Amino acid sequence: MSEPPFLSIEDVAVRFPVPRTLLDRLAKRPPRAVHALNAVRLDVRRGETLGIVGESGCGKSTLARAVVRLIEPSDGRIRFEGADIGSLAGVARRRYNRRVQMIFQDPYGSLNPRMTVRQVLDEALRVHRMRPPADIPGRIAELLELVRLPADAADRLPHQFSGGQRQRIGIARALAVEPEVIVADELVSALDVSVQAQVVNLLLELQARLHLTVVFVAHDLRLVRHISHRVAVMYLGSIVELGATEPLFARPRHPYTRALLDAAPDIDPARRTATAATRGELPSPFAVPPGCPFHTRCPHAFDRCRAERPMLTPRTPDHRAACHLTDFGVEAIDAEREWM
Ligand code: SF4
């Protein structure tokens, strides 16, 4: 019998109900909800780095939070080694929480300002009983060495560190419980550009050394390209393109991916064009457009796009796109060509 997928996201939808105002009640308006994720289907492979990219509000952080159970799906399920994580309880749930760790975007907000680094790491090691008490000081020293912080960092408070150092503390705290999966949500977006590369390269090195699986959520395509084996592109709560990083960046099959690339000046400069950058505002997640959710901004939209939602279907064995254009055998979306 074949092994179940390592981490499997199966048709996950997340809706956040919006409280009804008095005016809504008087006007008898139906209850509304923000559609943050719409039937997302995705497998994460053991040992890979999967980049999840898209504009702010596309649902990528909601997906990350659903994976670590900070948000419960409204529909669908997430399986880890075949087990539905929503049904885990007691020891099994704690084990999942240990094996799948999240590193948050905000290194300032995610550390208790009154706890020294030693206390932060000590707490993580004790809660999950990772080491006998006598071995904890040695393990703390190892963790600091792993993230390249000096040994004397242990007895300092978070405000005594730079943003990059604080993010290293966040990584050390996640690694303390020896996870198999790291979910990094905008890991470096709060940091200066000069520090971003150091932290991302540290994560890459740790991923290889500790055989981690990494879900790397970011809006910066350069970072995602640098770090990821595969990339999922999200738009309005759905995955619109998914594939191995280099083929996806070299030959995008979805106009939204093309527009993101064209809006990122350092990527693929030979193909930059102002006309293909994403046009117009992101539609409201209260009212996702019918048909293809991107049709209100797509330079290639045609009648079918307004009526029929495209499915995420294979274009090559390791490349999927949700676009009617690629149904016609279009091999890559080039903004400078006229399709219709
Ligand atoms: Fe554009 Fe139509 Fe493709 Fe949607 S399905 S991305 S509107 S061409």
Side-chain angles (χ1 to χ4, degrees), residues 121-150:
L121 298 178
D122 183 277
E123 183 183 62
L125 291 163
R126 282 179 201 272
V127 165
H128 289 277
R129 298 187 185 151
M130 299 305 298
R131 292 286 187 283
D135 294 351
I136 285 179
R139 179 60 179 155
I140 290 173
E142 274 172 23
L143 287 164
L144 292 176
E145 194 269 325
L146 208 55
V147 298
R148 303 224 191 82
L149 282 172

PDB file of all heavy atoms in Angstrom, residues 121-150:
ATOM      1  N   LEU A 121      13.236  29.380  26.016  1.00  0.00           N
ATOM      2  CA  LEU A 121      13.625  28.052  25.513  1.00  0.00           C
ATOM      3  C   LEU A 121      13.370  26.976  26.577  1.00  0.00           C
ATOM      4  O   LEU A 121      12.928  25.865  26.265  1.00  0.00           O
ATOM      5  CB  LEU A 121      15.086  28.054  25.078  1.00  0.00           C
ATOM      6  CG  LEU A 121      15.414  29.028  23.924  1.00  0.00           C
ATOM      7  CD1 LEU A 121      16.908  28.987  23.594  1.00  0.00           C
ATOM      8  CD2 LEU A 121      14.601  28.706  22.680  1.00  0.00           C
ATOM      9  N   ASP A 122      13.640  27.321  27.816  1.00  0.00           N
ATOM     10  CA  ASP A 122      13.414  26.386  28.924  1.00  0.00           C
ATOM     11  C   ASP A 122      11.933  25.970  28.967  1.00  0.00           C
ATOM     12  O   ASP A 122      11.607  24.785  29.107  1.00  0.00           O
ATOM     13  CB  ASP A 122      13.824  27.093  30.232  1.00  0.00           C
ATOM     14  CG  ASP A 122      13.689  26.194  31.438  1.00  0.00           C
ATOM     15  OD1 ASP A 122      12.559  26.081  31.974  1.00  0.00           O
ATOM     16  OD2 ASP A 122      14.698  25.602  31.839  1.00  0.00           O
ATOM     17  N   GLU A 123      11.056  26.966  28.804  1.00  0.00           N
ATOM     18  CA  GLU A 123       9.612  26.683  28.831  1.00  0.00           C
ATOM     19  C   GLU A 123       9.230  25.714  27.716  1.00  0.00           C
ATOM     20  O   GLU A 123       8.513  24.725  27.941  1.00  0.00           O
ATOM     21  CB  GLU A 123       8.833  27.994  28.686  1.00  0.00           C
ATOM     22  CG  GLU A 123       7.335  27.825  28.776  1.00  0.00           C
ATOM     23  CD  GLU A 123       6.614  29.148  28.553  1.00  0.00           C
ATOM     24  OE1 GLU A 123       6.735  29.728  27.450  1.00  0.00           O
ATOM     25  OE2 GLU A 123       5.932  29.602  29.466  1.00  0.00           O
ATOM     26  N   ALA A 124       9.724  25.990  26.487  1.00  0.00           N
ATOM     27  CA  ALA A 124       9.386  25.113  25.352  1.00  0.00           C
ATOM     28  C   ALA A 124       9.898  23.693  25.610  1.00  0.00           C
ATOM     29  O   ALA A 124       9.190  22.702  25.356  1.00  0.00           O
ATOM     30  CB  ALA A 124       9.997  25.676  24.066  1.00  0.00           C
ATOM     31  N   LEU A 125      11.105  23.570  26.136  1.00  0.00           N
ATOM     32  CA  LEU A 125      11.697  22.246  26.375  1.00  0.00           C
ATOM     33  C   LEU A 125      10.951  21.483  27.473  1.00  0.00           C
ATOM     34  O   LEU A 125      10.764  20.264  27.386  1.00  0.00           O
ATOM     35  CB  LEU A 125      13.177  22.397  26.745  1.00  0.00           C
ATOM     36  CG  LEU A 125      14.089  22.869  25.601  1.00  0.00           C
ATOM     37  CD1 LEU A 125      15.425  23.379  26.136  1.00  0.00           C
ATOM     38  CD2 LEU A 125      14.319  21.730  24.604  1.00  0.00           C
ATOM     39  N   ARG A 126      10.495  22.210  28.501  1.00  0.00           N
ATOM     40  CA  ARG A 126       9.807  21.544  29.616  1.00  0.00           C
ATOM     41  C   ARG A 126       8.373  21.153  29.258  1.00  0.00           C
ATOM     42  O   ARG A 126       7.929  20.053  29.583  1.00  0.00           O
ATOM     43  CB  ARG A 126       9.778  22.449  30.856  1.00  0.00           C
ATOM     44  CG  ARG A 126      11.076  22.468  31.596  1.00  0.00           C
ATOM     45  CD  ARG A 126      11.012  23.388  32.807  1.00  0.00           C
ATOM     46  NE  ARG A 126      12.366  23.766  33.198  1.00  0.00           N
ATOM     47  CZ  ARG A 126      13.106  23.051  34.047  1.00  0.00           C
ATOM     48  NH1 ARG A 126      12.615  21.971  34.595  1.00  0.00           N
ATOM     49  NH2 ARG A 126      14.336  23.432  34.338  1.00  0.00           N
ATOM     50  N   VAL A 127       7.659  22.066  28.597  1.00  0.00           N
ATOM     51  CA  VAL A 127       6.250  21.789  28.278  1.00  0.00           C
ATOM     52  C   VAL A 127       6.141  20.509  27.460  1.00  0.00           C
ATOM     53  O   VAL A 127       5.260  19.677  27.687  1.00  0.00           O
ATOM     54  CB  VAL A 127       5.620  22.995  27.527  1.00  0.00           C
ATOM     55  CG1 VAL A 127       4.301  22.594  26.862  1.00  0.00           C
ATOM     56  CG2 VAL A 127       5.393  24.150  28.490  1.00  0.00           C
ATOM     57  N   HIS A 128       7.057  20.340  26.516  1.00  0.00           N
ATOM     58  CA  HIS A 128       6.991  19.148  25.666  1.00  0.00           C
ATOM     59  C   HIS A 128       7.926  18.032  26.159  1.00  0.00           C
ATOM     60  O   HIS A 128       8.133  17.047  25.447  1.00  0.00           O
ATOM     61  CB  HIS A 128       7.316  19.522  24.214  1.00  0.00           C
ATOM     62  CG  HIS A 128       6.213  20.321  23.571  1.00  0.00           C
ATOM     63  ND1 HIS A 128       5.112  19.735  23.018  1.00  0.00           N
ATOM     64  CD2 HIS A 128       6.039  21.656  23.428  1.00  0.00           C
ATOM     65  CE1 HIS A 128       4.303  20.672  22.540  1.00  0.00           C
ATOM     66  NE2 HIS A 128       4.847  21.847  22.782  1.00  0.00           N
ATOM     67  N   ARG A 129       8.499  18.203  27.346  1.00  0.00           N
ATOM     68  CA  ARG A 129       9.366  17.172  27.958  1.00  0.00           C
ATOM     69  C   ARG A 129      10.418  16.671  26.966  1.00  0.00           C
ATOM     70  O   ARG A 129      10.572  15.455  26.751  1.00  0.00           O
ATOM     71  CB  ARG A 129       8.525  16.005  28.452  1.00  0.00           C
ATOM     72  CG  ARG A 129       7.551  16.451  29.515  1.00  0.00           C
ATOM     73  CD  ARG A 129       6.828  15.302  30.125  1.00  0.00           C
ATOM     74  NE  ARG A 129       5.818  15.796  31.043  1.00  0.00           N
ATOM     75  CZ  ARG A 129       4.688  15.173  31.317  1.00  0.00           C
ATOM     76  NH1 ARG A 129       4.430  14.020  30.765  1.00  0.00           N
ATOM     77  NH2 ARG A 129       3.829  15.684  32.143  1.00  0.00           N
ATOM     78  N   MET A 130      11.134  17.645  26.383  1.00  0.00           N
ATOM     79  CA  MET A 130      12.107  17.291  25.355  1.00  0.00           C
ATOM     80  C   MET A 130      13.419  16.764  25.946  1.00  0.00           C
ATOM     81  O   MET A 130      14.158  16.050  25.284  1.00  0.00           O
ATOM     82  CB  MET A 130      12.415  18.517  24.471  1.00  0.00           C
ATOM     83  CG  MET A 130      11.217  19.080  23.733  1.00  0.00           C
ATOM     84  SD  MET A 130      10.349  17.866  22.737  1.00  0.00           S
ATOM     85  CE  MET A 130      11.583  17.362  21.570  1.00  0.00           C
ATOM     86  N   ARG A 131      13.738  17.175  27.172  1.00  0.00           N
ATOM     87  CA  ARG A 131      14.987  16.758  27.815  1.00  0.00           C
ATOM     88  C   ARG A 131      14.753  16.615  29.315  1.00  0.00           C
ATOM     89  O   ARG A 131      13.919  17.322  29.890  1.00  0.00           O
ATOM     90  CB  ARG A 131      16.089  17.830  27.627  1.00  0.00           C
ATOM     91  CG  ARG A 131      16.596  18.022  26.205  1.00  0.00           C
ATOM     92  CD  ARG A 131      17.490  16.861  25.771  1.00  0.00           C
ATOM     93  NE  ARG A 131      18.110  17.127  24.487  1.00  0.00           N
ATOM     94  CZ  ARG A 131      17.506  17.029  23.308  1.00  0.00           C
ATOM     95  NH1 ARG A 131      16.242  16.682  23.254  1.00  0.00           N
ATOM     96  NH2 ARG A 131      18.150  17.267  22.183  1.00  0.00           N
ATOM     97  N   PRO A 132      15.530  15.743  29.999  1.00  0.00           N
ATOM     98  CA  PRO A 132      15.490  15.743  31.462  1.00  0.00           C
ATOM     99  C   PRO A 132      15.974  17.116  31.958  1.00  0.00           C
ATOM    100  O   PRO A 132      16.818  17.743  31.283  1.00  0.00           O
ATOM    101  CB  PRO A 132      16.479  14.644  31.866  1.00  0.00           C
ATOM    102  CG  PRO A 132      16.889  13.954  30.614  1.00  0.00           C
ATOM    103  CD  PRO A 132      16.488  14.779  29.443  1.00  0.00           C
ATOM    104  N   PRO A 133      15.454  17.601  33.106  1.00  0.00           N
ATOM    105  CA  PRO A 133      15.827  18.943  33.582  1.00  0.00           C
ATOM    106  C   PRO A 133      17.333  19.196  33.587  1.00  0.00           C
ATOM    107  O   PRO A 133      17.780  20.287  33.231  1.00  0.00           O
ATOM    108  CB  PRO A 133      15.236  18.998  34.997  1.00  0.00           C
ATOM    109  CG  PRO A 133      14.060  18.070  34.934  1.00  0.00           C
ATOM    110  CD  PRO A 133      14.443  16.971  33.977  1.00  0.00           C
ATOM    111  N   ALA A 134      18.119  18.183  33.952  1.00  0.00           N
ATOM    112  CA  ALA A 134      19.570  18.397  34.048  1.00  0.00           C
ATOM    113  C   ALA A 134      20.200  18.697  32.689  1.00  0.00           C
ATOM    114  O   ALA A 134      21.267  19.308  32.608  1.00  0.00           O
ATOM    115  CB  ALA A 134      20.225  17.152  34.669  1.00  0.00           C
ATOM    116  N   ASP A 135      19.565  18.254  31.608  1.00  0.00           N
ATOM    117  CA  ASP A 135      20.148  18.430  30.269  1.00  0.00           C
ATOM    118  C   ASP A 135      19.698  19.718  29.595  1.00  0.00           C
ATOM    119  O   ASP A 135      20.153  20.041  28.490  1.00  0.00           O
ATOM    120  CB  ASP A 135      19.758  17.249  29.364  1.00  0.00           C
ATOM    121  CG  ASP A 135      20.383  15.945  29.842  1.00  0.00           C
ATOM    122  OD1 ASP A 135      21.243  16.012  30.748  1.00  0.00           O
ATOM    123  OD2 ASP A 135      20.008  14.886  29.324  1.00  0.00           O
ATOM    124  N   ILE A 136      18.767  20.430  30.239  1.00  0.00           N
ATOM    125  CA  ILE A 136      18.180  21.605  29.558  1.00  0.00           C
ATOM    126  C   ILE A 136      19.206  22.721  29.311  1.00  0.00           C
ATOM    127  O   ILE A 136      19.261  23.256  28.194  1.00  0.00           O
ATOM    128  CB  ILE A 136      16.927  22.089  30.332  1.00  0.00           C
ATOM    129  CG1 ILE A 136      15.777  21.091  30.034  1.00  0.00           C
ATOM    130  CG2 ILE A 136      16.525  23.510  29.920  1.00  0.00           C
ATOM    131  CD1 ILE A 136      14.478  21.394  30.719  1.00  0.00           C
ATOM    132  N   PRO A 137      20.067  23.056  30.286  1.00  0.00           N
ATOM    133  CA  PRO A 137      21.044  24.136  30.004  1.00  0.00           C
ATOM    134  C   PRO A 137      21.923  23.816  28.785  1.00  0.00           C
ATOM    135  O   PRO A 137      22.178  24.690  27.954  1.00  0.00           O
ATOM    136  CB  PRO A 137      21.874  24.223  31.287  1.00  0.00           C
ATOM    137  CG  PRO A 137      20.963  23.698  32.347  1.00  0.00           C
ATOM    138  CD  PRO A 137      20.146  22.623  31.690  1.00  0.00           C
ATOM    139  N   GLY A 138      22.343  22.578  28.665  1.00  0.00           N
ATOM    140  CA  GLY A 138      23.173  22.172  27.515  1.00  0.00           C
ATOM    141  C   GLY A 138      22.400  22.293  26.205  1.00  0.00           C
ATOM    142  O   GLY A 138      22.938  22.730  25.185  1.00  0.00           O
ATOM    143  N   ARG A 139      21.127  21.915  26.241  1.00  0.00           N
ATOM    144  CA  ARG A 139      20.308  21.994  25.029  1.00  0.00           C
ATOM    145  C   ARG A 139      20.074  23.461  24.627  1.00  0.00           C
ATOM    146  O   ARG A 139      20.073  23.781  23.439  1.00  0.00           O
ATOM    147  CB  ARG A 139      18.970  21.280  25.271  1.00  0.00           C
ATOM    148  CG  ARG A 139      18.022  21.303  24.102  1.00  0.00           C
ATOM    149  CD  ARG A 139      18.600  20.645  22.860  1.00  0.00           C
ATOM    150  NE  ARG A 139      17.645  20.658  21.757  1.00  0.00           N
ATOM    151  CZ  ARG A 139      17.978  20.609  20.470  1.00  0.00           C
ATOM    152  NH1 ARG A 139      19.239  20.532  20.118  1.00  0.00           N
ATOM    153  NH2 ARG A 139      17.052  20.624  19.542  1.00  0.00           N
ATOM    154  N   ILE A 140      19.899  24.331  25.614  1.00  0.00           N
ATOM    155  CA  ILE A 140      19.724  25.758  25.306  1.00  0.00           C
ATOM    156  C   ILE A 140      20.981  26.293  24.604  1.00  0.00           C
ATOM    157  O   ILE A 140      20.892  27.013  23.607  1.00  0.00           O
ATOM    158  CB  ILE A 140      19.396  26.558  26.591  1.00  0.00           C
ATOM    159  CG1 ILE A 140      17.983  26.188  27.069  1.00  0.00           C
ATOM    160  CG2 ILE A 140      19.508  28.072  26.358  1.00  0.00           C
ATOM    161  CD1 ILE A 140      17.596  26.768  28.411  1.00  0.00           C
ATOM    162  N   ALA A 141      22.145  25.897  25.107  1.00  0.00           N
ATOM    163  CA  ALA A 141      23.399  26.332  24.471  1.00  0.00           C
ATOM    164  C   ALA A 141      23.474  25.825  23.029  1.00  0.00           C
ATOM    165  O   ALA A 141      23.879  26.549  22.112  1.00  0.00           O
ATOM    166  CB  ALA A 141      24.591  25.833  25.288  1.00  0.00           C
ATOM    167  N   GLU A 142      23.059  24.569  22.820  1.00  0.00           N
ATOM    168  CA  GLU A 142      23.054  23.999  21.453  1.00  0.00           C
ATOM    169  C   GLU A 142      22.132  24.784  20.525  1.00  0.00           C
ATOM    170  O   GLU A 142      22.472  25.067  19.377  1.00  0.00           O
ATOM    171  CB  GLU A 142      22.523  22.562  21.491  1.00  0.00           C
ATOM    172  CG  GLU A 142      23.543  21.486  21.780  1.00  0.00           C
ATOM    173  CD  GLU A 142      22.826  20.131  21.975  1.00  0.00           C
ATOM    174  OE1 GLU A 142      21.683  19.935  21.488  1.00  0.00           O
ATOM    175  OE2 GLU A 142      23.438  19.306  22.645  1.00  0.00           O
ATOM    176  N   LEU A 143      20.947  25.115  21.039  1.00  0.00           N
ATOM    177  CA  LEU A 143      19.964  25.831  20.204  1.00  0.00           C
ATOM    178  C   LEU A 143      20.491  27.207  19.811  1.00  0.00           C
ATOM    179  O   LEU A 143      20.330  27.643  18.668  1.00  0.00           O
ATOM    180  CB  LEU A 143      18.624  25.955  20.941  1.00  0.00           C
ATOM    181  CG  LEU A 143      17.827  24.652  21.047  1.00  0.00           C
ATOM    182  CD1 LEU A 143      16.723  24.775  22.102  1.00  0.00           C
ATOM    183  CD2 LEU A 143      17.209  24.283  19.687  1.00  0.00           C
ATOM    184  N   LEU A 144      21.129  27.885  20.756  1.00  0.00           N
ATOM    185  CA  LEU A 144      21.671  29.216  20.434  1.00  0.00           C
ATOM    186  C   LEU A 144      22.768  29.103  19.386  1.00  0.00           C
ATOM    187  O   LEU A 144      22.859  29.920  18.462  1.00  0.00           O
ATOM    188  CB  LEU A 144      22.207  29.888  21.704  1.00  0.00           C
ATOM    189  CG  LEU A 144      21.140  30.278  22.731  1.00  0.00           C
ATOM    190  CD1 LEU A 144      21.774  30.852  23.989  1.00  0.00           C
ATOM    191  CD2 LEU A 144      20.161  31.288  22.134  1.00  0.00           C
ATOM    192  N   GLU A 145      23.573  28.054  19.510  1.00  0.00           N
ATOM    193  CA  GLU A 145      24.644  27.841  18.529  1.00  0.00           C
ATOM    194  C   GLU A 145      24.045  27.541  17.150  1.00  0.00           C
ATOM    195  O   GLU A 145      24.519  28.032  16.124  1.00  0.00           O
ATOM    196  CB  GLU A 145      25.520  26.691  19.040  1.00  0.00           C
ATOM    197  CG  GLU A 145      26.856  26.544  18.336  1.00  0.00           C
ATOM    198  CD  GLU A 145      26.774  25.600  17.161  1.00  0.00           C
ATOM    199  OE1 GLU A 145      26.007  24.620  17.251  1.00  0.00           O
ATOM    200  OE2 GLU A 145      27.449  25.850  16.136  1.00  0.00           O
ATOM    201  N   LEU A 146      22.951  26.768  17.166  1.00  0.00           N
ATOM    202  CA  LEU A 146      22.282  26.388  15.917  1.00  0.00           C
ATOM    203  C   LEU A 146      21.795  27.616  15.142  1.00  0.00           C
ATOM    204  O   LEU A 146      21.871  27.664  13.914  1.00  0.00           O
ATOM    205  CB  LEU A 146      21.096  25.485  16.270  1.00  0.00           C
ATOM    206  CG  LEU A 146      20.595  24.448  15.280  1.00  0.00           C
ATOM    207  CD1 LEU A 146      21.702  23.515  14.836  1.00  0.00           C
ATOM    208  CD2 LEU A 146      19.458  23.639  15.919  1.00  0.00           C
ATOM    209  N   VAL A 147      21.287  28.613  15.855  1.00  0.00           N
ATOM    210  CA  VAL A 147      20.772  29.807  15.171  1.00  0.00           C
ATOM    211  C   VAL A 147      21.804  30.949  15.182  1.00  0.00           C
ATOM    212  O   VAL A 147      21.484  32.089  14.879  1.00  0.00           O
ATOM    213  CB  VAL A 147      19.422  30.282  15.763  1.00  0.00           C
ATOM    214  CG1 VAL A 147      18.354  29.217  15.585  1.00  0.00           C
ATOM    215  CG2 VAL A 147      19.549  30.699  17.217  1.00  0.00           C
ATOM    216  N   ARG A 148      23.031  30.611  15.564  1.00  0.00           N
ATOM    217  CA  ARG A 148      24.160  31.555  15.542  1.00  0.00           C
ATOM    218  C   ARG A 148      23.926  32.792  16.401  1.00  0.00           C
ATOM    219  O   ARG A 148      24.152  33.921  15.971  1.00  0.00           O
ATOM    220  CB  ARG A 148      24.468  31.980  14.107  1.00  0.00           C
ATOM    221  CG  ARG A 148      24.765  30.814  13.219  1.00  0.00           C
ATOM    222  CD  ARG A 148      25.938  31.046  12.318  1.00  0.00           C
ATOM    223  NE  ARG A 148      25.961  29.972  11.352  1.00  0.00           N
ATOM    224  CZ  ARG A 148      25.206  29.965  10.265  1.00  0.00           C
ATOM    225  NH1 ARG A 148      24.421  30.981   9.987  1.00  0.00           N
ATOM    226  NH2 ARG A 148      25.264  28.951   9.435  1.00  0.00           N
ATOM    227  N   LEU A 149      23.471  32.530  17.611  1.00  0.00           N
ATOM    228  CA  LEU A 149      23.438  33.608  18.610  1.00  0.00           C
ATOM    229  C   LEU A 149      24.520  33.287  19.643  1.00  0.00           C
ATOM    230  O   LEU A 149      24.786  32.116  19.929  1.00  0.00           O
ATOM    231  CB  LEU A 149      22.072  33.661  19.300  1.00  0.00           C
ATOM    232  CG  LEU A 149      20.938  34.323  18.505  1.00  0.00           C
ATOM    233  CD1 LEU A 149      19.605  34.126  19.210  1.00  0.00           C
ATOM    234  CD2 LEU A 149      21.196  35.806  18.277  1.00  0.00           C
ATOM    235  N   PRO A 150      25.159  34.325  20.212  1.00  0.00           N
ATOM    236  CA  PRO A 150      26.222  34.057  21.196  1.00  0.00           C
ATOM    237  C   PRO A 150      25.648  33.432  22.471  1.00  0.00           C
ATOM    238  O   PRO A 150      24.473  33.629  22.792  1.00  0.00           O
ATOM    239  CB  PRO A 150      26.786  35.456  21.475  1.00  0.00           C
ATOM    240  CG  PRO A 150      25.718  36.409  21.066  1.00  0.00           C
ATOM    241  CD  PRO A 150      24.932  35.747  19.971  1.00  0.00           C
TER     242      PRO A 150
END
